[in-house]
Amino acid sequence: MKTVFSGVRPSGAIHLGNYLGAIKNWVELQKNYQCVFCVVDYHAITTPFSPKELSQNALETAATYLAAGIDPKQSLIFVQSHNPDHTEMAWILNTIARIPELERMTQFKEKSEEHKSAINMGLFDYPVLMAADILLYGTDIVPVGEDQEQHVELARTLARRFNQTFGETFKIPESMVRKEGARIMGLDDPNKKMSKSAESSLNYIVLTDTPEVIKGKIKKAVTDSGSEIKYNPENKPAISNLLTIYSLVTDKPIEQLEKDYKDHTSYADFKKDVADAVVEFLTPFQKKFNDLLEKPKEIKKILEDGAKEAREISEKTLREAKKKMGLI
Ligand code: AMP
Ligand code: TRP
């Protein structure tokens, strides 16, 4: 069975973009792949954070995986900092990653701009740690949103370079970006992706938003000129984004939805239906999520077991890499 690896940073509320762009696909992948899903807390500390919130966010991220349908009997779920092999492997990869390569990373440039007074080495090294995450598990496929493709490409480069220099050690991973949902855009600005760091909370739907809040945010979502419900990201970015969301939460193809709304002349009705569909989609998720968070011990046990099992896999790769480099 091929191996899938992915992760989300526990850096605050998880939004609908994360869910539809990443986690939803994971649930489908776990049927056909050996999956490893990580709560990447060492990545989360590369931008300003509060320690108290970090631990709660880590638990909530794990609860999100579980509530979304990741089954710990089938897939590995663990916290990155519980497996020291990741940081050790990152150090090794640091010695073959080149500074200009890292300077080119779009996310580094964006985050440096965002946190001008906190541009730290960890932020710069972020993609190398991500490469370590991926390569330790002999990963074949890395399902991510579009924004992370460049990082997966770097992981491929580092794996190839290591193999060429020290001998065949790492499998070369591939990114998997679903076209639909790869970029859920902000509700208040359909030209920018939905993001937790957006200025206004009207930008995103948090997975734990109440039905009233969800309905309010979608009602206030910007729309395009005209009144047709048509998928056309260039001319109708806002409606296209709402159609994408609608399609993903109902599993109805966009073409079908376009047909259903052929005769509609108002965006208001359409938005109301989108909001209802999102609420319907999130309600069972929220119930599971809240139930899980009432039993943090159970989540912690799953994470502990996951870390143990993860380490059994990663230590073999790490040992092999060290041996190839002549580290005794
Ligand atoms: P992050 O919150 O940046 O750690 O992202 C976690 C995962 O969600 C990654 O796979 C991202 O590519 C994906 N993601 C983040 N924002 C969006 C978005 N607006 N649309 C689709 N996928 C997203
Ligand atoms: N950098 C990813 C993000 O911001 C999260 C991440 C860390 C990740 N390590 C990973 C994703 C390994 C896939 C594989 O979304």
Side-chain angles (χ1 to χ4, degrees):
M1 232 201 234
K2 287 194 171 181
T3 300
V4 161
F5 186 102
S6 200
V8 169
R9 279 174 301 144
S11 54
I14 298 185
H15 59 69
L16 196 62
N18 301 130
Y19 194 119
L20 301 178
I23 301 170
K24 185 171 187 276
N25 300 331
W26 301 0
V27 179
E28 282 157 34
L29 288 168
Q30 80 175 338
K31 294 181 203 139
N32 300 314
Y33 297 91
Q34 173 57 55
C35 293
V36 185
F37 297 122
C38 192
V39 176
V40 288
D41 54 352
Y42 275 149
H43 279 116
I45 61 174
T46 61
T47 41
F49 68 100
S50 117
K52 216 163 137 199
E53 281 171 19
L54 180 65
S55 46
Q56 184 60 24
N57 285 339
L59 267 188
E60 291 189 8
T61 303
T64 302
Y65 294 0
L66 295 164
I70 304 297
D71 176 1
K73 290 199 200 77
Q74 285 181 53
S75 304
L76 274 181
I77 302 181
F78 72 102
V79 176
Q80 190 181 35
S81 67
H82 292 179
N83 182 356
D85 292 350
H86 290 239
T87 39
E88 194 170 342
M89 182 61 93
W91 181 258
I92 289 178
L93 295 175
N94 269 334
T95 64
I96 62 163
R98 294 175 187 151
I99 288 174
E101 238 160 24
L102 294 179
E103 280 171 338
R104 278 199 294 274
M105 293 291 133
T106 307
Q107 183 174 301
F108 174 67
K109 288 190 246 175
E110 282 174 4
K111 297 258 183 237
S112 307
E113 195 57 37
E114 224 175 283
H115 308 284
K116 277 208 175 79
S117 58
I119 309 173
N120 61 82
M121 277 305 290
L123 185 64
F124 189 57
D125 206 28
Y126 182 114
V128 178
L129 178 59
M130 180 162 161
D133 298 342
I134 295 168
L135 299 181
L136 276 172
Y137 297 88
T139 302
D140 297 279
I141 296 167
V142 189
V144 280
E146 218 168 47
D147 61 323
Q148 295 299 314
E149 261 188 307
Q150 195 184 26
H151 289 163
V152 180
E153 196 52 49
L154 180 80
R156 290 162 60 82
T157 303
L158 297 181
R160 275 198 225 101
R161 189 173 300 149
F162 188 100
N163 289 350
Q164 273 160 15
T165 315
F166 301 107
E168 206 56 32
T169 308
F170 297 122
K171 201 176 255 183
I172 313 296
E174 265 173 49
S175 60
M176 176 191 217
V177 179
R178 288 272 173 91
K179 261 210 251 128
E180 208 181 290
R183 244 170 112 78
I184 301 293
M185 310 311 274
L187 296 176
D188 61 345
D189 178 359
N191 299 307
K192 280 206 196 118
K193 70 168 193 164
M194 184 177 282
S195 165
K196 287 178 280 216
S197 48
E199 264 167 46
S200 159
S201 66
L202 290 177
N203 172 275
Y204 49 78
I205 289 173
V206 177
L207 297 183
T208 48
D209 275 345
T210 61
E212 292 68 39
V213 171
I214 294 173
K215 287 178 186 172
K217 284 180 178 177
I218 295 184
K219 195 172 175 187
K220 290 197 196 95
V222 301
T223 46
D224 310 300
S225 54
S227 60
E228 258 188 334
I229 313 292
K230 270 258 170 250
Y231 186 81
N232 183 339
E234 257 171 46
N235 298 329
K236 284 187 161 265
I239 293 302
S240 301
N241 189 41
L242 290 175
L243 272 169
T244 301
I245 293 173
Y246 199 178
S247 162
L248 287 167
V249 299
T250 55
D251 282 325
K252 276 190 201 160
I254 287 180
E255 301 81 64
Q256 174 67 48
L257 295 170
E258 283 176 334
K259 272 189 207 140
D260 293 351
Y261 286 89
K262 201 162 54 72
D263 303 321
H264 273 245
T265 47
S266 126
Y267 285 147
D269 293 349
F270 172 68
K271 279 165 119 186
K272 189 179 169 302
D273 293 348
V274 176
D276 287 343
V278 171
V279 168
E280 202 174 308
F281 176 77
L282 285 181
T283 302
F285 165 85
Q286 291 179 346
K287 163 129 190 26
K288 280 190 221 145
F289 179 83
N290 292 330
D291 288 350
L292 280 161
L293 280 179
E294 275 172 26
K295 301 171 279 188
K297 276 207 187 115
E298 274 182 34
I299 306 177
K300 285 183 186 156
K301 176 82 173 71
I302 291 172
L303 294 174
E304 233 172 74
D305 293 347
K308 254 188 232 148
E309 239 182 283
R311 200 156 187 198
E312 280 168 24
I313 305 171
S314 61
E315 70 185 4
K316 292 201 186 88
T317 316
L318 180 61
R319 205 182 305 133
E320 181 65 23
K322 288 167 82 170
K323 204 170 110 196
K324 291 266 169 63
M325 290 183 107
L327 295 157
I328 53 169

